[in-house]
Amino acid sequence: MSLDIILILLVDGLSTGAIYLLAGLGFVLVFSVTRVIFIPSGDIAAFAALTLAAFQGRTVPGSIWLVAAMAGLACLAECSTLLRNGATRRIPRALLLYGVLPLIPCGIGLAIARQDVPEVLRILTTMALILPMGVLIDRLMLRPLAASSTLILFIVAIAAHYLIAGIGLIAFGPEGVRTTPILDGIISLSDSVVIPAQQLLMMIVALLLSLVFYLFFGRSMTGKALRATASNRVGARLVGIRPERAATMAYLIASGLAAIVGILIAPVTTMYYDSGFMIGLKASVGAIIGGMASYPITAIGSVFVGVLESWASFLASDYKEIIIFSAVIPVLIWRSFSVHRDGDEEIEEFA
Amino acid sequence: MSSVLLELNDLRVSYGKVEAVRGIHLRLEEGQIITVIGANGAGKTTLLSAAAGLLPSGGRASYRGQDLLRMTVEDRVEQGFCLVPEQRALFGDMPVIDNLLLGAFVRRRDKAFVRKSLDSVFEQFPRLAERQTQLAQTLSGGERQMLAIGRALMAQPRLLLLDEPSLGLAPTIVRDVLMRVRALRDQGVSILLVEQNARAALDVADYAYVMDTGEFVLEGPASGMAADPRVVATYLGGGVE
Amino acid sequence: MISARLLSLIVVVVLLALPVVGSPFLVTLMSHVGVSSLVVLGLVLLTGIGGMMSFGQAAFVGIAAYTTGWLTTALGWSPWLGLVFALALTAVSALAIGAITLRLGGHFLPLSTIAWGLSIYYLFGNLEPLGRHSGLLNIPPITLGPVSFMSQIAMYYLIWVVVLLATLFSLNLLDSREGRALRLLRGGAHLMGSVGMDTFGTRLRVFLIAGIFSGLAGWLYAHMTRFISPAPFDVKISIEYLLMAMTGGASQVAGATVGSGLIVLIKNWLQDFLPHLTDNPAQLEQVAFALMLLLILRFAAGGFMPMVLKRVRSTPRTVKANVGGLPTRQLPPRGEPVLEVEAVERRFGGLIAVNKVSFDVRAGEIVGLIGPNGAGKSTMFNLITGTLAVSSGTVRFLGKDASRLSQREIARLGCARTFQHVKLRPGMTLLDNVVSGTYLRTGAGYIKGGLRLDRLEEERARHEALLRLGQVGLADRAHDLAGDLPLGQQRVLEIARALALDPVLLILDEPAAGLRKKEKDALATLLRKLRQDGLTILIVEHDMDFVMNLVDRIVVMVFGQKLREGDPATIRKDPAVQEAYLGGLA
């Protein structure tokens, strides 16, 4: 194997790793705040790609109707809960959060869909449209069972994935899409080694967003409130941090990251309505390496998964999924034998 | 004339089918220190957790004239009703300073308020100022307790619920903590203090309730209570001279 | 109301008669229900009862199906040899996956099994000898001597005989020694350890059983359809199995068949109906199933079976007398040291919870361990029972160093305990809760239990448990559910379970908490009686009246250290003790 190939594979791996890194950060964030393994984040990424592709093809993306329908259902669910608890004065706020805010980008999307608009506007509209999805999935499917065990929440997350991926087919159709690259062109490292600019963009965006992530959690009060909720739920409530709002914030951030993942990956990989599952699962490999808790280790793990994937595709492409999933085995073995002897967990009843 | 801040009427707390706390009547006026004492397992912590909204409860409860049972924990905090729980519930993997800043979460937009609160907490607990960059989980037991109280004070509460502030502390620190409780009252904070260390609690409180197996069995001004043989009996069993 | 026996009989008769009266299509459909039931039965044991979750069951089915498929087509072996290898391979994979994930809590098992399920699926689709995505064709039918299971009807009977046998095995198992271990899993590792059960081992074995049931299903499936391709072994199908379990009632053995039946029927109906609506019926089916799963979790978490069971009358099995007893232990002579705690220390990070504490407990005495809240009593308690590891110092039990032993080994030596926060299985009867205490005195394993070869020992264990219930005054409620008892009585029930271990030393954590005056008196009488019988008791308690009038000696702990040791009267008068309890500021 020549040095050139090694270099190409490395660059390819790092850019894929950048994608898993972004998705992995969202995974760990949502899990630490809500105890949910948010498998549908992959679907959200796929929907972002499909939405942008639809805009580029001058058609109305199915996600507009999907988000609008979910917003309507979420409004119904939230209002009926509030009415039952006699908290009528909070209804306007709920309608704003679950109804008006998600519908604004739907409206913009409808307006620009068939127009010649700058690419930036399309990307921003896609982001805005996809952003509420995590929050809406949470409100409709996860929150009603928020008090359940992690296992139940896990099944719910899986069911939610199959539900929205299935709906994705209806909304987007079965065709695969590729979007036009945000950055065109190539950068030559040597005569035989060229990097597509889009790949470079993926790495740069991942780096920048990691930095933003770091600053957000280290400096801002909202970021600290999220960390506090993950650190000690009771303590967080006792200083007035509402767990539902922390969850909403976590889902919002995770959806945002997923949307960026989708937009970045769509020019280099053909995306289908159900491509998200694999992205989500591979990102979760990184998150497992990070113990579902540590952001830096998750980041390193995700990049490792990306590099592993590009090597595996080159050397044994039929088995690349198997190779990637096998990467968790040593981590599991290591965790298995460092399990605390003092641990005790009781598992709730199903019935 | 002082006004009633907190009033509990026939408050009940159940765990499944078991009623752990029942028939609680309690009145706390603005500027008072009320203490609930009793042996371990009497239901004091359960009562306090329910009052703070962490456990569902039945009966009636009002805080500043509002129906307390309809308020969430966070609503209560926004209204200046703060609990320092028995387990402290600190953010262990975050530094002391962040723990404190989060204490003022409900007033986070008022930068001047937060700064003033922080100065005041550091003034009362200089040790916390020294350790502000240290992670909360690395603090000693006494420092953790200071941090827990300090965090609650950051919101400048009107009513502070303290659950076993002396728990696990050496006697000299217990005295110190309870002196601070009295100082807080002098600054205008009303306090509901749950303590196992009865003599110390009675020393600082205005009025006391004695709890035994989920019920109040005795109440009265704190000053006379320390000598009451019935109080001794609830702790060390009957027949004590 | 209908009796359980009659209902089972009706079900069996209907199943027998079905091929005679039903259409061939219905027979084939019911064969599929049977195959699914086997997989779901494993999930009921694993998930509904054991509290673990697997998204890899379809992969186990696939491993077995491909093993037998390949051996019988490529090598031309007999399906029976195929069965042996199919089961062996599923068992090995289940053990391998279980060994690395079952020690970990919560989400690691489900996540790993998804990864495993997908890997296996891709493997089937990519291996040339397995026909890649087009699969294996012309798998031979099963034959047994002159009988061929070529026809759908013959296969139907074979499948349902296996299903019924597996169901019986599971029911027997749940009513046996190891089955109780399985039913205790959800109570947590501390509860299991206190009666000498092995949490990880139990998890691993039930994971193995669930894998083997799936393997059986795979073998039957391959020889029923006689063609296999990767699709039915995808993770998606594992989720269908989970949906079946949830629909039927995840914690009910019969729920496996009921759930499989309902879902297969619904699926069949959807497959007829959806193509009229859409060009993508498969995806819409997926949407429908996902929605169903969400709705069941939200609104009918118990599934279908509990609704049936409400209408079924079942009479509790009586406990036979005159079956002989379980072996009992020789108690040490009065005054011999039973427990020796020497300079024991436990640190949590920088915090010293127990600081160089020494005391001992001698045979036939009751020692009280008291101290104010936060004094380190609970930590001391956990160090003695092996729930926590000591940082330094030694705990000796009957002269043996027990400082490094696990809870299980300490229980085996003859040290039984109760819990401050009661740990019982609320859904099991009082009797079953107490029988679980005899785990270490009995020996029937999975095979004996599942095949009902354990009856004599089982009757003895039940008799023993009833005696223990009688001892604590709960015999008349033996067949009630433990969760229906008031809290105080639940504590007493824990004592009965501890006694069922036939212990040398009984360690009680706040046994009087929540008891009424009369109940406390009865408990004190019981404990005095046990002392008379030669039992040694260490008791951590806050109720001073109770302790002072009961114990021979008291150890007082404050701030992690031993403050005083002595007889109750001296301790009560001690000013240092009074100060520790009431505070020293007055």
Side-chain angles (χ1 to χ4, degrees):
Chain A
M1 183 181 297
S2 72
L3 193 69
D4 286 355
I5 293 179
I6 292 178
L7 208 59
I8 290 174
L9 286 179
L10 190 67
V11 170
D12 186 59
L14 287 177
S15 61
T16 316
I19 291 296
Y20 296 149
L21 187 158
L22 294 177
L25 292 180
F27 244 86
V28 175
L29 171 62
V30 171
F31 182 77
S32 65
V33 173
T34 65
R35 299 179 304 129
V36 171
I37 301 202
F38 194 48
I39 301 283
S41 65
D43 300 302
I44 295 176
F47 287 6
L50 291 157
T51 303
L52 183 58
F55 281 138
Q56 290 180 347
R58 306 286 191 283
T59 53
V60 176
S63 43
I64 289 185
W65 311 119
L66 181 57
V67 169
M70 285 171 74
L73 286 173
C75 282
L76 275 179
E78 183 69 14
C79 289
S80 73
T81 308
L82 290 175
L83 279 175
R84 227 179 310 129
N85 297 342
T88 36
R89 65 191 169 80
R90 280 164 60 190
I91 287 184
R93 193 176 173 281
L95 287 178
L96 177 72
L97 181 66
Y98 293 109
V100 178
L101 286 182
L103 286 178
I104 292 173
C106 291
I108 299 175
L110 275 181
I112 66 156
R114 297 179 202 283
Q115 310 297 319
D116 257 330
V117 291
E119 191 62 24
V120 177
L121 186 58
R122 288 197 181 117
I123 292 175
L124 288 177
T125 310
T126 303
M127 288 281 304
L129 193 57
I130 295 302
L131 213 51
M133 284 202 70
V135 179
L136 293 171
I137 292 172
D138 170 45
R139 181 60 195 87
L140 287 173
M141 303 173 211
L142 292 155
R143 189 167 323 156
L145 291 156
S148 312
S149 66
T150 35
L151 287 186
I152 297 283
L153 290 174
F154 194 97
I155 311 185
V156 176
I158 293 276
H161 151 71
Y162 279 105
L163 183 64
I164 67 167
I167 295 174
L169 175 73
I170 303 164
F172 294 104
E175 298 81 21
V177 297
R178 266 194 196 228
T179 55
T180 40
I182 301 167
L183 278 188
D184 252 329
I186 48 172
I187 295 147
S188 303
L189 289 188
S190 70
D191 294 341
S192 53
V193 182
V194 290
I195 306 172
Q198 178 72 19
Q199 283 196 348
L200 199 67
L201 180 71
M202 287 154 83
M203 289 185 258
I204 292 171
V205 170
L207 265 179
L208 282 179
L209 281 178
S210 304
L211 187 69
V212 170
F213 215 71
Y214 175 77
L215 291 176
F216 172 72
F217 282 104
R219 302 281 166 82
S220 81
M221 263 327 259
T222 313
K224 286 177 187 174
L226 285 176
R227 274 170 65 201
T229 310
S231 169
N232 191 314
R233 230 177 150 69
V234 172
R237 297 195 68 190
L238 289 175
V239 299
I241 303 169
R242 294 174 195 273
E244 318 89 63
R245 289 200 196 156
T248 300
M249 182 55 74
Y251 282 114
L252 212 54
I253 296 171
S255 304
L257 286 170
I260 293 169
V261 163
I263 291 167
L264 284 177
I265 203 174
V268 293
T269 312
T270 308
M271 296 292 280
Y272 297 87
Y273 72 96
D274 62 351
S275 301
F277 193 41
M278 269 299 162
I279 299 177
L281 282 180
K282 288 177 191 166
S284 79
V285 172
I288 288 182
I289 294 174
M292 302 300 292
S294 158
Y295 294 109
I297 303 179
T298 299
I300 296 168
S302 304
V303 172
F304 166 72
V305 171
V307 174
L308 185 69
E309 178 169 338
S310 78
W311 282 82
S313 328
F314 179 73
L315 295 171
S317 82
D318 282 353
Y319 302 101
K320 74 170 189 202
E321 270 81 15
I322 304 172
I323 293 171
I324 292 164
F325 290 136
S326 308
V328 296
I329 293 175
V331 182
L332 291 174
I333 293 178
W334 174 72
R335 287 201 176 273
S336 212
F337 287 98
S338 57
V339 174
H340 232 257
R341 184 179 165 197
D342 309 345
D344 187 29
E345 63 170 340
E346 287 190 41
I347 304 162
E348 69 174 296
E349 308 290 328
F350 276 82
Chain B
M1 234 351 252
S2 50
S3 58
V4 178
L5 194 59
L6 176 71
E7 193 161 15
L8 308 179
N9 272 311
D10 192 25
L11 195 82
R12 300 179 302 270
V13 191
S14 310
Y15 288 112
K17 293 177 187 169
V18 187
E19 210 162 64
V21 164
R22 56 202 169 272
I24 295 297
H25 293 269
L26 179 146
R27 232 175 102 93
L28 190 149
E29 288 173 9
E30 200 121 23
Q32 265 190 324
I33 301 182
I34 299 266
T35 186
V36 176
I37 57 175
N40 207 337
K44 306 187 298 289
T45 294
T46 306
L47 171 63
L48 225 52
S49 304
L54 289 171
L55 292 173
S57 53
R60 274 173 301 133
S62 70
Y63 170 68
R64 297 173 72 201
Q66 303 171 69
D67 181 358
L68 194 62
L69 299 188
R70 298 201 85 144
M71 294 160 76
T72 64
V73 179
E74 301 83 3
D75 292 337
R76 295 176 211 212
V77 176
E78 280 170 5
Q79 300 277 329
F81 183 118
C82 293
L83 166 72
V84 178
E86 191 184 354
Q87 318 81 6
R88 322 297 196 226
L90 298 173
F91 310 123
D93 51 359
M94 296 173 78
V96 167
I97 181 82
D98 282 354
N99 272 272
L100 290 174
L101 291 176
L102 283 163
F105 182 78
V106 294
R107 304 286 297 270
R108 63 192 175 283
R109 286 182 233 289
D110 188 345
K111 298 285 177 227
F113 174 93
V114 175
R115 178 107 304 264
K116 214 173 117 246
S117 288
L118 191 64
D119 288 344
S120 143
V121 168
F122 279 158
E123 194 183 319
Q124 290 175 70
F125 301 104
R127 184 74 72 85
L128 294 180
E130 290 163 26
R131 314 238 151 175
Q132 48 178 301
T133 56
Q134 215 171 308
L135 295 187
Q137 65 202 10
T138 63
L139 297 182
S140 75
E143 289 165 346
R144 282 182 206 196
Q145 180 56 20
M146 285 178 204
L147 179 55
I149 296 177
R151 187 179 70 181
L153 290 178
M154 283 296 293
Q156 302 192 5
R158 200 178 279 261
L159 172 62
L160 192 60
L161 275 55
L162 293 172
D163 195 354
E164 302 267 7
S166 77
L167 183 65
L169 302 186
T172 52
I173 308 179
V174 171
R175 185 188 299 265
D176 195 46
V177 165
L178 290 170
M179 286 303 116
R180 280 179 209 287
V181 168
R182 188 177 278 171
L184 287 177
R185 193 259 310 269
D186 298 341
Q187 292 163 27
V189 185
S190 311
I191 288 160
L192 178 57
L193 172 68
V194 155
E195 252 303 339
Q196 196 190 218
N197 191 329
R199 284 183 185 145
L202 292 173
D203 213 35
V204 298
D206 302 308
Y207 196 82
Y209 296 88
V210 181
M211 203 170 186
D212 194 8
T213 53
E215 288 170 310
F216 284 168
V217 290
L218 200 64
E219 65 176 280
S223 51
M225 193 121 7
D228 196 318
R230 288 173 296 177
V231 173
V232 179
T234 54
Y235 280 84
L236 285 177
V240 177
E241 50 282 291
Chain C
M1 288 295 256
I2 178 168
S3 85
R5 206 171 276 268
L6 183 64
L7 187 65
S8 328
L9 197 70
I10 293 173
V11 170
V12 171
V13 167
V14 169
L15 283 173
L16 274 174
L18 192 106
V20 185
V21 295
S23 67
F25 176 71
L26 187 63
V27 173
T28 310
L29 204 62
M30 282 305 286
S31 296
H32 277 102
V33 171
V35 170
S36 300
S37 302
L38 272 176
V39 184
V40 179
L41 191 59
L43 270 183
V44 165
L45 297 178
L46 187 71
T47 307
I49 294 167
M52 288 164 277
M53 193 161 290
S54 164
F55 291 95
Q57 296 315 99
F60 289 126
V61 179
I63 288 185
Y66 269 102
T67 307
T68 191
W70 186 73
L71 289 175
T72 51
T73 52
L75 304 185
W77 289 10
S78 141
W80 296 103
L81 269 175
L83 174 64
V84 172
F85 280 88
L87 292 187
L89 205 58
T90 24
V92 169
S93 3
L95 286 176
I97 296 171
I100 59 170
T101 55
L102 291 174
R103 265 179 233 277
L104 299 167
H107 44 271
F108 282 103
L109 179 65
L111 264 181
S112 317
T113 50
I114 287 190
W116 142 258
L118 282 170
S119 301
I120 290 293
Y121 172 71
Y122 284 116
L123 197 65
F124 293 150
N126 283 316
L127 282 179
E128 191 58 57
L130 299 186
R132 291 180 175 261
H133 284 283
S134 42
L136 295 174
L137 290 164
N138 299 324
I139 299 171
I142 300 166
T143 52
L144 185 61
V147 186
S148 160
F149 292 91
M150 177 106 144
S151 82
Q152 283 303 325
I153 291 184
M155 203 58 209
Y156 167 92
Y157 281 116
L158 179 64
I159 288 170
W160 279 97
V161 166
V162 175
V163 172
L164 289 180
L165 288 178
T167 304
L168 271 180
F169 181 89
S170 308
L171 285 171
N172 289 343
L173 179 65
L174 287 175
D175 187 32
S176 75
R177 173 174 175 269
E178 291 293 358
R180 274 185 298 272
L182 177 50
R183 287 156 78 193
L184 250 59
L185 270 178
R186 290 180 163 222
H190 291 175
L191 169 60
M192 302 264 308
S194 77
V195 292
M197 293 168 179
D198 172 9
T199 311
F200 172 68
T202 306
R203 281 187 182 165
L204 189 61
R205 284 185 286 256
V206 66
F207 192 65
L208 177 66
I209 292 177
I212 287 180
F213 282 173
S214 301
L216 269 175
W219 179 72
L220 289 167
Y221 176 84
H223 295 288
M224 170 178 78
T225 56
R226 313 215 1 234
F227 155 71
I228 47 175
S229 68
F233 313 123
D234 191 6
V235 169
K236 221 184 270 186
I237 309 299
S238 283
I239 290 160
E240 267 182 43
Y241 290 133
L242 210 57
L243 172 63
M244 291 175 185
M246 295 286 170
T247 309
S251 51
Q252 302 291 337
V253 167
T257 309
V258 174
S260 310
L262 285 172
I263 296 299
V264 170
L265 289 180
I266 292 173
K267 188 173 180 170
N268 183 58
W269 175 77
L270 282 175
Q271 281 170 352
D272 283 348
F273 169 76
L274 288 178
H276 299 298
L277 285 183
T278 159
D279 301 332
N280 302 298
Q283 276 67 31
L284 218 59
E285 184 187 316
Q286 168 185 326
V287 170
F289 277 174
L291 207 56
M292 265 183 71
L293 187 52
L294 287 172
L295 292 175
I296 285 175
L297 285 173
R298 175 89 174 84
F299 297 107
F304 189 77
M305 270 313 280
M307 290 180 240
V308 177
L309 290 177
K310 252 189 259 166
R311 289 163 219 289
V312 176
R313 177 165 34 91
S314 65
T315 40
R317 200 147 47 87
T318 50
V319 180
K320 290 192 189 122
N322 305 325
V323 283
L326 293 173
T328 54
R329 215 187 294 268
Q330 182 74 44
L331 290 178
R334 204 167 284 273
E336 288 267 298
V338 170
L339 178 73
E340 294 158 280
V341 176
E342 272 169 38
V344 159
E345 200 172 270
R346 170 70 202 203
R347 290 177 295 270
F348 293 103
L351 230 65
I352 303 182
V354 169
N355 191 358
K356 299 248 183 288
V357 173
S358 307
F359 65 92
D360 57 8
V361 180
R362 293 173 177 277
E365 68 173 348
I366 303 183
V367 172
L369 181 60
I370 68 167
N373 208 346
K377 302 181 303 289
S378 298
T379 309
M380 189 70 238
F381 193 105
N382 288 331
L383 294 174
I384 295 172
T385 51
T387 320
L388 276 177
V390 295
S391 302
S392 71
T394 26
V395 176
R396 241 192 295 281
F397 188 72
L398 294 172
K400 255 192 179 161
D401 186 355
S403 333
R404 304 267 169 264
L405 296 186
S406 69
Q407 270 180 288
R408 215 148 46 92
E409 290 158 328
I410 288 174
R412 187 180 291 280
L413 289 177
C415 173
R417 68 169 292 187
T418 63
F419 293 91
Q420 188 182 347
H421 300 287
V422 173
K423 287 184 192 287
L424 289 164
R425 299 309 295 138
M428 281 163 67
T429 61
L430 270 62
L431 189 73
D432 279 349
N433 268 292
V434 178
V435 179
S436 63
T438 66
Y439 186 82
L440 288 172
R441 301 167 70 191
T442 46
Y446 280 77
I447 307 291
K448 270 194 174 170
L451 300 181
R452 237 175 163 67
L453 301 172
D454 58 346
R455 286 300 107 180
L456 180 62
E457 181 183 274
E458 192 65 7
E459 288 305 336
R460 284 181 175 160
R462 286 163 60 86
H463 183 63
E464 164 81 15
L466 193 64
L467 286 180
R468 296 308 172 197
L469 276 173
Q471 224 171 345
V472 302
L474 286 171
D476 52 333
R477 301 196 63 176
H479 298 289
D480 292 353
L481 295 183
D484 290 342
L485 286 183
L487 187 66
Q489 299 284 297
Q490 293 189 358
R491 291 190 181 285
V492 176
L493 178 59
E494 278 207 329
I495 296 179
R497 181 180 64 204
L499 289 175
L501 269 81
D502 184 32
V504 175
L505 174 66
L506 186 61
I507 311 191
L508 305 175
D509 201 350
E510 298 195 27
L515 292 193
R516 283 191 283 267
K517 180 78 178 72
K518 262 185 156 170
E519 294 168 331
K520 278 182 197 169
D521 292 345
L523 177 63
T525 312
L526 167 69
L527 295 180
R528 285 196 195 100
K529 172 79 177 48
L530 291 171
R531 168 172 58 186
Q532 225 168 53
D533 296 345
L535 204 64
T536 314
I537 299 170
L538 175 64
I539 181 169
V540 175
E541 183 52 69
H542 287 106
D543 188 323
M544 289 303 155
D545 262 339
F546 182 80
V547 171
M548 296 284 177
N549 295 322
L550 175 72
V551 303
D552 302 303
R553 247 171 351 111
I554 289 184
V555 175
V556 187
M557 279 182 74
V558 177
F559 298 120
Q561 284 171 308
K562 187 166 93 175
L563 177 72
R564 286 287 186 277
E565 183 175 343
D567 63 90
T570 322
I571 292 292
R572 184 181 280 170
K573 284 198 209 97
D574 194 311
V577 175
Q578 287 212 2
E579 184 177 318
Y581 264 85
L582 291 162
L585 289 179

